Amino acid sequence: MSESSGGPADPARILVVDDDPTVAEVVTGYLERTGFAVEHAADGHDALRRAGDRRPDLVVLDLMLPGLDGLEVCRRLRAAGPVPVIMLTARGDEEDRITGLEVGADDYVTKPFSPRELVLRVESVLRRSRAAAPGRPVPAVLRAGPLVVDPETRRATRAGVELALTLREFDLLAYFLEQPGTAHTREELMRRVWGWDFGDLSTVTVHVRRLRSKIEDDPARPSLIRTVWGVGYRFEPGPAEDPTT
């Protein structure tokens, strides 16, 4: 039984959305054997109906769906409320993967993929959506200028207004606030925030861009999340002296 499934009396509910019956059968089988309760939808409209009837704990969503595509399904799911989404994409469709992250997907897996890899990603996303990583104490409320981040309740505000952050955006912001003034490589952020030693580093870039759009006064001239050329990113807790750099 998977630790993240919540035990036999309360398994996490996963909605698998894929129009390929073979892929859906394999993914569903692996997730069920791991201990999850799985529903399958073959198209976007069915997925939204099922999610509306009973909200899942996580959605595994194919990007290429008949009628209503995965990007629009993701947008509508996110508009209805927070739910982690892992997208399944075809290898080489980098632009579509980036767009998927921009509309709110928390992670993606490229086809063809190892079902076991997908299970590991599902477990990782669920752990982060429910609590801090195992063995890691929940830090106190984090503050920096107008930003307040509460890791225990998973709420973040800017000047008193709650921020609509995805799972990964919240974790990324909290990680930055925990280590102000420290330069981080994208590889380090991938390990610490996503929990992976490998992966497409453009995932980090997209999430930094999205986070800037939500916390910066001028995302085009960021003063909080600064780019450190040749290294990665650094969070500045106070106003920068020169916001153009």
Side-chain angles (χ1 to χ4, degrees), residues 107-109 116-125 127-128 168 186-199 201:
D107 206 346
Y108 66 84
V109 177
R116 182 55 187 160
E117 176 192 352
L118 176 59
V119 169
L120 290 173
R121 299 234 179 178
V122 166
E123 292 176 330
S124 173
V125 170
R127 279 197 302 270
R128 289 176 178 273
R168 298 299 189 186
R186 291 191 298 168
E187 290 85 354
E188 176 192 351
L189 293 172
M190 178 69 78
R191 287 195 306 272
R192 300 294 188 182
V193 177
W194 278 258
W196 291 94
D197 292 322
F198 61 91
L201 295 179

Side-chain angles (χ1 to χ4, degrees), residues 2 16 25 32 39 72 107 139 160 170 175 195 200-201 232 235:
S2 166
V16 174
E25 181 179 0
E32 288 179 337
E39 279 192 80
E72 183 58 28
D107 206 346
F170 182 93
Y175 187 73
D200 185 350
L201 295 179
F235 182 80

Side-chain angles (χ1 to χ4, degrees), residues 144-159:
L147 297 171
V148 178
V149 174
D150 186 340
E152 186 170 7
T153 62
R154 297 192 68 84
R155 293 181 68 248
T157 60
R158 182 182 186 275

Side-chain angles (χ1 to χ4, degrees), residues 85-105:
V85 175
I86 297 178
M87 277 195 165
L88 304 180
T89 71
R91 188 176 302 278
D93 293 343
E94 181 177 357
E95 183 176 344
D96 286 339
R97 292 199 299 271
I98 290 175
T99 303
L101 294 171
E102 289 178 337
V103 299

Side-chain angles (χ1 to χ4, degrees), residues 41-192:
D43 60 62
H45 292 290
D46 189 25
L48 293 174
R49 180 184 60 79
R50 290 174 182 270
D53 290 342
R54 187 179 178 191
R55 200 151 186 84
D57 295 302
L58 183 143
V59 178
V60 177
L61 177 62
D62 187 25
L63 188 64
M64 301 299 295
L65 292 171
L68 200 64
D69 67 24
L71 294 177
E72 183 58 28
V73 172
C74 187
R75 287 189 188 97
R76 296 189 188 186
L77 286 171
R78 294 293 305 168
V83 58
V85 175
I86 297 178
M87 277 195 165
L88 304 180
T89 71
R91 188 176 302 278
D93 293 343
E94 181 177 357
E95 183 176 344
D96 286 339
R97 292 199 299 271
I98 290 175
T99 303
L101 294 171
E102 289 178 337
V103 299
D106 296 285
D107 206 346
Y108 66 84
V109 177
T110 55
K111 296 180 179 180
F113 57 87
S114 159
R116 182 55 187 160
E117 176 192 352
L118 176 59
V119 169
L120 290 173
R121 299 234 179 178
V122 166
E123 292 176 330
S124 173
V125 170
L126 281 174
R127 279 197 302 270
R128 289 176 178 273
S129 68
R130 289 177 166 183
R136 181 182 181 187
V138 177
V141 174
L142 304 166
R143 292 181 171 85
L147 297 171
V148 178
V149 174
D150 186 340
E152 186 170 7
T153 62
R154 297 192 68 84
R155 293 181 68 248
T157 60
R158 182 182 186 275
V161 179
E162 186 160 1
L163 297 170
L165 302 179
T166 66
L167 169 68
R168 298 299 189 186
E169 290 166 358
F170 182 93
D171 289 340
L172 183 60
L173 180 59
Y175 187 73
F176 277 136
L177 264 67
E178 287 173 357
Q179 302 184 58
T182 302
H184 306 283
T185 66
R186 291 191 298 168
E187 290 85 354
E188 176 192 351
L189 293 172
M190 178 69 78
R191 287 195 306 272
R192 300 294 188 182

